[in-house]
Amino acid sequence: QCPLPPQMWTNSINQARKMALLAWQEETGIKLVQINGQRRYGGPPPGWEGGPPPAGTEVYIGRLPQDVYEDTLIPLFRRAGQLYEFRLMMTFSGLNRGFAYAKYSCPQGARSAIATLNGFELREGCAIVVCRSTQKRELSVDGLAASVSRQELEALLRMATEGILCVTLHASPCHSQAKLAVLKYESHQAAALAKKALVEGNVRLGAAGIRVDWLHPKLKQKLQLWEQTPPPSRMHGEQSLAAPRQVAVPVMLQNVLDRLNSLCHNNHLRTPLFMMKRVQVKPGGWQQFMYRVVIPGCPMTIRGSLWVSQERQGWSAEEEVKLEVAMQALRVLSEFL
């Protein structure tokens, strides 16, 4: 059999649902515009005056079935209030990427959407997540040359991007003899445009194979913990030379556990209970763990699975799992409370 040409292959995926979407567009007159991996509806609704809605009007929608489109989602989210904009993230093949954003004309619409649609079952056994959208403004750039300085990197970014507020440099957690930069911008839009320019290679950072992404909360927390823990030093004559290595997991783990226990104590909750079980080991030392965190006195349970590498940088797999899970529990509990 001859393989289908790319365009025919793309069109053949989920064809019935795509046809239903087109029919809905013709019936309603709604226009959808797809740019850079997202399909957008809206902008100012009829009669709108002034600038865009303020902060707190956008919600994140997750766990969407990939064959669900705007003909289902827009009418559903209109129930909560007047939509200013709706953005569905799309794959090349024409499926959605499992998440979307709905922006309302006022904060009440966003609050109503969260209250009424979080946990809503689009299909039997398929409950979606609806929560407040966080306006990300920080990027991580990993794999920079060890010789790069903060001043020259910041000067380059000020010439090539707009809205940069500050640049910080750290030892890369993934590459030896390399640096990681955290870039903070004045707005989400400025950060998104900078990310696009960096990913597409429009800004030359003088290093091959760099990785640009939104700054993940776990990585941000790790960097903060490393900064708080002074590096060990060795004496050389009358000089003290810092030994360039990351802080050990047990120290970081104890810091996170102390913060978590303090948060529980301050909110009249008991000490969290961690349950972890190794369920799979693959060649190369990768191990999969199932985990569960129960906080007595709190109705929330944190559970899931993750992969870790065995004895990475001298850490035990169990310590690394507990560190990641404790950081997740700290973040989730903080938002819950």
Side-chain angles (χ1 to χ4, degrees):
Q1 295 182 349
C2 296
L4 288 172
Q7 189 61 45
M8 290 182 64
W9 175 79
T10 298
N11 292 339
S12 67
I13 292 179
N14 205 25
Q15 192 170 18
R17 288 293 302 116
K18 290 176 182 176
M19 295 301 293
L21 174 65
L22 289 174
W24 175 76
Q25 286 184 260
E26 291 180 5
E27 180 183 343
T28 60
I30 282 179
K31 306 286 186 187
L32 301 176
V33 179
Q34 184 162 338
I35 301 174
N36 295 332
Q38 61 177 301
R39 197 157 59 200
R40 180 176 172 271
Y41 153 76
W48 182 267
E49 295 181 1
T57 55
E58 186 175 80
V59 298
Y60 166 83
I61 307 154
R63 297 183 186 171
L64 292 172
Q66 285 194 278
D67 60 347
V68 169
Y69 297 125
E70 291 88 346
D71 56 325
T72 297
L73 297 171
I74 288 177
L76 176 65
F77 280 85
R78 274 179 168 169
R79 297 180 193 173
Q82 184 185 43
L83 278 177
Y84 180 88
E85 181 182 79
F86 190 92
R87 295 179 291 130
L88 183 63
M89 306 301 120
M90 302 297 296
T91 68
F92 171 77
S93 65
L95 296 171
N96 78 61
R97 292 171 57 195
F99 66 101
Y101 296 90
K103 180 176 285 189
Y104 288 88
S105 59
C106 65
Q108 178 57 38
R111 290 194 292 268
S112 177
I114 294 170
T116 60
L117 296 175
N118 184 40
F120 180 83
E121 289 197 352
L122 283 177
R123 298 171 184 162
E124 186 178 353
C126 182
I128 62 174
V129 170
V130 182
C131 61
R132 185 173 60 88
S133 173
T134 56
Q135 296 291 306
K136 299 177 182 178
R137 297 189 300 153
E138 293 177 300
L139 303 175
S140 66
V141 183
D142 200 2
L144 293 168
S147 59
V148 71
S149 71
R150 185 190 64 78
Q151 290 82 359
E152 64 178 317
L153 180 59
E154 184 172 344
L156 176 62
L157 290 167
R158 288 193 183 280
M159 289 190 295
T161 67
E162 294 184 4
I164 184 78
L165 292 179
C166 66
V167 177
T168 57
L169 283 177
H170 312 263
S172 170
C174 302
H175 307 282
S176 60
Q177 305 302 315
K179 288 183 179 179
L180 178 143
V182 173
L183 319 179
K184 186 171 183 178
Y185 284 82
E186 63 185 16
S187 69
H188 175 74
Q189 183 178 7
L193 291 173
K195 180 176 182 288
K196 184 174 184 290
L198 292 169
V199 169
E200 292 178 351
N202 298 334
V203 182
R204 302 294 179 184
L205 297 178
I210 64 168
R211 180 177 177 180
V212 182
D213 210 338
W214 294 109
L215 180 62
H216 195 282
K218 288 183 180 179
L219 176 58
K220 184 174 183 177
Q221 208 162 23
K222 282 184 179 180
L223 294 174
Q224 290 172 344
L225 286 169
W226 291 342
E227 288 176 354
Q228 292 169 7
T229 306
S233 62
R234 61 182 185 273
M235 298 306 297
H236 180 74
E238 296 182 356
Q239 295 180 333
S240 176
L241 303 177
R245 72 172 181 86
Q246 297 171 1
V247 62
V249 161
V251 176
M252 294 173 60
L253 175 58
Q254 192 56 54
N255 286 342
V256 174
L257 289 176
D258 288 345
R259 292 186 185 184
L260 180 59
N261 292 337
S262 177
L263 181 62
C264 291
H265 176 75
N266 292 339
N267 287 276
H268 309 290
L269 302 174
R270 294 171 62 187
T271 304
L273 304 175
F274 291 79
M275 288 157 274
M276 303 178 299
K277 182 180 180 181
R278 184 187 290 107
V279 294
Q280 193 175 171
V281 178
K282 286 197 171 184
W286 286 97
Q287 304 176 56
Q288 185 184 26
F289 283 77
M290 302 294 292
Y291 63 84
R292 185 179 177 210
V293 183
V294 176
I295 304 174
C298 178
M300 177 185 62
T301 299
I302 300 166
R303 67 181 73 207
S305 69
L306 57 83
W307 288 90
V308 296
S309 58
Q310 186 175 14
E311 301 295 334
R312 182 162 65 90
Q313 296 184 346
W315 310 346
S316 74
E318 288 77 9
E319 286 174 332
E320 187 170 357
V321 170
K322 192 166 185 179
L323 173 65
E324 296 294 333
V325 174
M327 289 172 62
Q328 180 186 353
L330 179 62
R331 184 175 67 255
V332 172
L333 183 60
S334 298
E335 294 175 356
F336 177 80
L337 295 174

